[in-house]
Amino acid sequence: MNAIWLFFLLGGIGIAAARGDVQKVTDGALKGAEMAVEVALGLIGAMALWLGIMRIAQEAGLIDLVARIARPFLIRLFPSIPSNHPALGHILMNLSANVLGLGSAATPFGMKAMQAMQELNQNRPEASEAMCTFLALNTSCITLIPATIISVRVAAGSANPTEIVGPTILATMVGMTVAVTADQLLRSYYRRRGG
Amino acid sequence: MPAAILDTLSQWTVPVLFAVVLAAGALRGVKVYDAFVAGAEEGFSIAVKLIPYLVAMLTAIGIFRETGAMDMVMALLHPITSSLGIPGEILPLAVMRPLSGSGALGVATELIQTYGADSFIGRLASTMQGTTDTTFFVLTIYFGAVGVRRYKYSLYTGLLADVTSFFASVYFCKIFFK
């Protein structure tokens, strides 16, 4: 991560210098910093709403129920999480929200999953294996109802706005398979390296 | 699949979810209002905790984009993709997608409007939007929320998934739409 961050910054500065337009560096940096706060503050409403709903679901035992149903499937992917741990429920809620295209709900569910996994990780600054697997699934996860892009297609006058759902599902299945496989391979590689 | 069905489905999911959770809570004797407020309280602190991580990431991406470094990466990739028969118009979307969600949606919308929703480029852009993810952003906020700074191999898996999904999108779009 450090190397990539450095690459973005120095690469950008270097190219701006070569082009003789260093003002762009300052502009880009300030724009990005402002946007970061906007994004974070913009998240508060949706986060609070979904975390509130989730607390009700948790106290009603729904999260446990969901976790129990998904246990046989999740336990293979997350061998380091104890089978009765709430993290499994949060992971499943997050992935379901992703599949249903509920972006605003997926993020708070994911946060809870990360918090639960971070407790198992004993609050270290380094990601645990379970976190890596979770994020591999998360970033390659399919959305069955890609509502945003469908509405863009409708607005652009498409004759068949949903025709892209088929290839989207197939392509994402390939992507997800590769991500999960790579996660398993990299996990054992890092273990052998002692990382 | 008719758009109307998907549209109805996406309109109903949230209300149904709310109803199920609230009804289950009431049946189990949960004090629903108290529980909601207790849960919602965390929203603010999580969001504020994200700020330093987001500033670091979005500043770097801002510089990379604004200075034209990103255009340079695209120019470097162009000969490779065009030799594979991938339309060059799609490259800005592919490079933007892992870095910025709103940026990528902007590029996709522009492509769809310029070339038409039912053109090959329009369909490919739509498909890619659904299959790839804003990997840098997702990692930043998920790890940021719990204070993890060393991502181990997470970034590689995420980017590999994006690259694979990109090529798979091209492949399946060619099969479906050509």
Side-chain angles (χ1 to χ4, degrees):
Chain A
M1 199 54 224
N2 283 307
I4 288 166
W5 198 69
L6 208 62
F7 169 76
F8 279 151
L9 285 169
L10 291 184
I13 295 169
I15 282 165
R19 288 186 174 173
D21 198 2
V22 281
Q23 182 58 35
K24 288 264 163 68
V25 177
T26 322
D27 294 347
L30 284 172
K31 243 188 237 173
E34 258 169 53
M35 199 164 55
V37 178
E38 255 168 56
V39 169
L41 295 184
L43 275 174
I44 294 177
M47 288 273 265
L49 169 64
W50 284 106
L51 288 170
I53 292 288
M54 200 156 57
R55 180 67 71 94
I56 301 176
Q58 200 165 9
E59 289 188 15
L62 284 178
I63 308 265
D64 286 341
L65 186 75
V66 166
R68 222 172 303 147
I69 296 167
R71 191 174 296 163
F73 156 72
L74 287 178
I75 220 134
R76 266 161 230 239
L77 282 164
F78 299 97
S80 58
I81 300 179
S83 63
N84 56 356
H85 200 272
L88 293 179
H90 297 315
I91 291 173
L92 197 80
M93 299 288 284
N94 169 268
L95 295 178
S96 320
N98 262 325
V99 170
L100 294 174
L102 302 174
S104 68
T107 313
F109 291 147
M111 298 288 153
K112 293 304 267 186
M114 290 301 276
Q115 282 176 350
M117 283 186 276
Q118 183 66 343
E119 276 165 33
L120 292 170
N121 193 25
Q122 289 147 2
N123 286 309
R124 272 182 289 208
E126 184 177 85
S128 68
E129 288 175 348
M131 289 174 178
C132 293
T133 308
F134 173 58
L135 285 168
L137 281 174
N138 193 296
T139 54
S140 63
C141 191
I142 197 254
T143 304
L144 281 184
I145 311 170
T148 316
I149 200 70
I150 288 174
S151 59
V152 170
R153 293 174 60 77
V154 171
S158 168
N160 188 356
T162 56
E163 66 184 348
I164 46 99
V165 173
T168 303
I169 293 176
L170 289 172
T172 204
M173 271 162 51
V174 176
M176 199 156 170
T177 311
V178 168
V180 172
T181 314
D183 175 67
Q184 301 278 330
L185 292 175
L186 284 166
R187 178 194 292 177
S188 56
Y189 171 74
Y190 267 69
R191 268 191 200 165
R192 260 184 281 126
R193 245 191 36 175
Chain B
M1 237 183 302
I5 294 181
L6 279 178
D7 198 42
T8 319
L9 238 134
S10 69
Q11 278 176 13
W12 275 85
T13 25
V14 173
V16 167
L17 203 64
F18 280 2
V20 169
V21 170
L22 289 169
L27 282 175
R28 290 292 191 89
V30 175
K31 288 186 179 139
V32 284
Y33 179 76
D34 295 346
F36 181 88
V37 175
E41 224 178 51
E42 279 179 84
F44 185 78
S45 58
I46 292 184
V48 170
K49 214 176 154 191
L50 289 177
I51 292 177
Y53 295 91
L54 279 171
V55 170
M57 186 50 69
L58 294 180
T59 302
I61 291 171
I63 290 178
F64 201 68
R65 230 166 93 178
E66 200 76 7
T67 55
M70 198 184 278
D71 298 331
M72 223 149 167
V73 171
M74 277 179 234
L76 286 174
L77 288 174
H78 197 259
I80 306 170
T81 48
S82 63
S83 71
L84 292 169
I86 299 168
E89 293 88 339
I90 207 78
L91 261 185
L93 179 59
V95 176
M96 186 71 87
R97 191 68 176 106
L99 298 173
S100 159
S102 54
L105 186 63
V107 176
T109 308
E110 206 184 300
L111 285 173
I112 289 168
Q113 272 166 358
T114 313
Y115 297 95
D118 299 327
S119 66
F120 182 71
I121 289 170
R123 287 161 165 166
L124 181 57
S126 311
T127 305
M128 277 177 53
Q129 193 68 22
T131 52
T132 51
D133 207 337
T134 316
T135 301
F136 279 93
F137 180 75
V138 171
L139 294 192
T140 304
I141 62 168
Y142 278 32
F143 281 137
V146 293
V148 163
R149 285 186 298 274
R150 286 159 65 197
Y151 294 5
K152 242 180 192 170
Y153 46 88
S154 261
L155 193 61
Y156 309 131
T157 15
L159 291 179
L160 187 67
D162 285 334
V163 172
T164 313
S165 301
F166 168 67
F167 285 113
S169 297
V170 176
Y171 177 77
F172 286 115
C173 279
K174 282 195 170 170
I175 289 181
F176 272 74
F177 302 127
K178 256 191 177 168

